Amino acid sequence: TGWITQAEIAKYLNIADITVVPSRKDGNPCIVVESIASGTPVIGTDIEGVVGHLKKGLSGDGVNWDGDN
C-alpha cells in the first residue's frame, strides 16, 4: 500500500487481467478510469461512480451490492 507513480500504475494495470472495485461509497474512483484507459476490464459494485463509466461486456460490469448483507 502507499503512494506509487503514474508509471507504476500503468505497469500494474497492463499486467492485470481485471480490476475489482468493491466500493460501497465512492464518488468517482480514479482507478476505474485508469483501468479502462489501459484496457483492463473492471468489475465493481453498482454504485454510480463506478458503473457510470462502464459499458457492459466492453469495459467491465457492475454487480449488485445488497446493503443488507
Side-chain angles (χ1 to χ4, degrees), residues 34-59:
E34 292 167 335
S35 293
I36 293 168
S38 74
T40 304
V42 177
I43 299 295
T45 50
D46 61 353
I47 60 172
E48 184 56 36
V50 174
V51 297
H53 294 291
L54 303 178
K55 292 190 182 345
K56 187 174 183 173
L58 182 61
S59 56

Side-chain angles (χ1 to χ4, degrees), residues 1-66:
T1 62
W3 189 84
I4 61 173
T5 67
Q6 285 296 110
E8 289 173 305
I9 292 170
K11 178 182 83 171
Y12 293 129
L13 289 174
N14 284 323
I15 61 173
D17 293 320
I18 194 165
T19 299
V20 177
V21 184
S23 298
R24 296 179 185 177
K25 296 178 185 176
D26 200 338
N28 192 14
C30 292
I31 192 64
V32 174
V33 176
E34 292 167 335
S35 293
I36 293 168
S38 74
T40 304
V42 177
I43 299 295
T45 50
D46 61 353
I47 60 172
E48 184 56 36
V50 174
V51 297
H53 294 291
L54 303 178
K55 292 190 182 345
K56 187 174 183 173
L58 182 61
S59 56
D61 200 2
V63 295
N64 185 32
W65 175 73
D66 184 355

